[in-house]
Amino acid sequence: MPLFASHQAPTPDKILRVMQAFREDERPDKIDLGVGVYRTPDGKTPILRAVKTAEQRLIDGQTTKGYVGLAGDPTFHTAVRDLVLGPAVPAERIAALATPGGTGAVRQAFELVKLARPAARVWTSAPTWPNHEAILDTLAMPWRPYRYYCPETGGIDRAGLLEDLSRTETGDVVLLHGCCHNPTGADLTLDDWDAIATILNARGAVPMVDLAYQGFGQGVETDVAGLRRLVSAVPEALITVSASKNFGLYRDRVGLVLTVCDTARAATAVQGTLAWLNRQSYAFPPDHGARVVTEILGDASLRADWEAELDGMRERVVAMRLALSDALRAESGSDRFSFLQAHNGMFTLLPATSDQVATLRRDHAVYMIDDGRINLAGLTPDTVAPAARAIASVLG
């Protein structure tokens, strides 16, 4: 029998299904609120000014395309470590691994956990980015959700979250979102980060923080204030970092795993294991995007320009969030959508059923993920009103 005679493809990712359906829709007034990428008002994902400058410098000065180390360029590790963690943890306690994008970082972090503790259980927020749990399933790693989002209030279910995390056990891993929670937009406060650290220390569980949107919430430094408090209070932590959104390096696949260990000796051992993990999968990580990030973060002028443009991107998303909230208030005659204003980042979770989402696509050409997640960067000043009108009419 042929090898693939009875093979069946996995069910396509729900985000990819929405992308395909939107592409095939020929209506000129269609609105894409599904795909989680930043877009300008004209619908384009820009190349940032600092990125263009850094790339030109690399082209002019680079003398080789030889391999970097298995774990990536140490200067890239240092640049991103300092951006994310600052002085929160001594450098000698941190092992780092360059990866193909944030998804690659999540995958390698889970692989590390599985190696270190094969029976480890991973706790994920309800809801979370779908690929978190898909990767865990692929790796056959046990996981369970913890309460996070309260649909009735549009905020965090703090009591449920803390109660569930109090049931974690020694060696469990708790997956948290660093900022701009995907898909809800409802972020932890500094007090929440402190409370989580206290519980995890008491239970012997390890935090893993997925940081994909630094700079899109309140600002580059403010967005990691809670994360820094957490890692300074716990003996071990995993942080997965993506440069897709805040540097606009989607197709260059720039990611990093930062592993905080309790001792420098443990960090040295973990560093070797991380390099081994890369060797077993894709060997040497991609380097071009990583060097772009390193160039930007290492040059005061480029970094200032990057932060200024990132500020503008964040301000556009905030403006679209506020505009949609106001338009929904006008269309619905109520404050039922006012929770949007309290959220951070590109995403918000609308209280929509899958049938309502299907109706929005079919009857109004408004596309979003089946669970009601929308990307505010998909809106423009011209599409806010029709999007709000459609949402209000379908959600009631």
Side-chain angles (χ1 to χ4, degrees), residues 178-197:
C179 63
C180 307
H181 186 276
N182 182 4
T184 73
D187 277 356
L188 299 168
T189 66
L190 290 179
D191 288 344
D192 293 331
W193 286 101
D194 290 341
I196 289 170

Side-chain angles (χ1 to χ4, degrees), residues 323-334 337 340 350 387-388 391-392:
L324 180 62
S325 178
D326 290 343
L328 285 169
R329 181 182 297 108
E331 291 289 343
S332 66
S334 73
F337 297 100
L340 272 70
L350 295 178
I391 292 168

Side-chain angles (χ1 to χ4, degrees), residues 46-268:
I47 302 176
L48 304 190
R49 294 185 302 266
V51 168
K52 278 186 171 291
T53 301
E55 285 187 314
Q56 190 60 55
R57 289 183 186 178
L58 292 178
I59 290 170
D60 293 341
Q62 207 165 52
T63 59
T64 180
K65 291 290 186 181
Y67 288 129
V68 295
L70 285 172
D73 182 1
T75 58
F76 169 62
H77 300 171
T78 299
V80 177
R81 182 195 70 211
D82 291 348
L83 175 70
V84 172
L85 296 181
V89 181
E92 60 268 20
R93 286 179 49 206
I94 301 174
L97 182 75
T99 61
T103 301
V106 170
R107 174 66 182 250
Q108 295 297 62
F110 285 150
E111 293 273 15
L112 176 64
V113 170
K114 188 173 183 178
L115 273 177
R117 191 180 294 266
R121 177 174 52 177
V122 179
W123 296 68
T124 65
S125 65
T128 193
W129 179 49
N131 224 20
H132 284 151
E133 292 161 357
I135 292 172
L136 289 168
D137 286 340
T138 299
L139 292 172
M141 294 180 67
W143 62 270
R144 65 175 297 177
Y146 62 87
R147 283 172 284 178
Y148 184 87
Y149 187 69
C150 177
E152 290 74 25
T153 65
I156 294 173
D157 178 1
R158 286 182 174 83
L161 182 153
L162 298 178
E163 182 181 349
D164 285 350
L165 294 191
S166 69
R167 298 191 179 100
T168 57
E169 299 176 357
T170 299
D172 283 356
V173 172
V174 175
L175 181 57
L176 304 157
H177 294 240
C179 63
C180 307
H181 186 276
N182 182 4
T184 73
D187 277 356
L188 299 168
T189 66
L190 290 179
D191 288 344
D192 293 331
W193 286 101
D194 290 341
I196 289 170
T198 298
I199 290 175
L200 299 189
N201 277 333
R203 303 298 298 176
V206 178
M208 175 174 162
V209 181
D210 192 5
L211 183 67
Y213 307 97
Q214 184 178 359
F216 272 91
Q218 302 294 325
V220 169
E221 288 293 306
T222 306
D223 284 351
V224 290
L227 166 60
R228 290 178 180 180
R229 283 167 70 153
L230 174 74
V231 298
S232 66
V234 299
E236 296 179 307
L238 291 157
I239 302 104
T240 58
V241 185
S242 169
S244 292
K245 273 70 176 180
N246 55 3
F247 287 89
L249 292 169
Y250 294 88
R251 66 176 60 173
D252 288 310
R253 311 308 299 135
V254 185
L256 187 71
V257 179
L258 294 168
T259 307
V260 177
C261 302
D262 60 340
T263 66
R265 181 178 179 179
T268 299

Side-chain angles (χ1 to χ4, degrees), residues 31 34 129 139 183 217 236 243 247 251 261 286 293 301 313 322 347 360:
I31 300 172
W129 179 49
L139 292 172
E236 296 179 307
F247 287 89
R251 66 176 60 173
C261 302
V293 170
S301 177
M313 295 160 68
L322 296 178
F347 304 118
L360 282 164

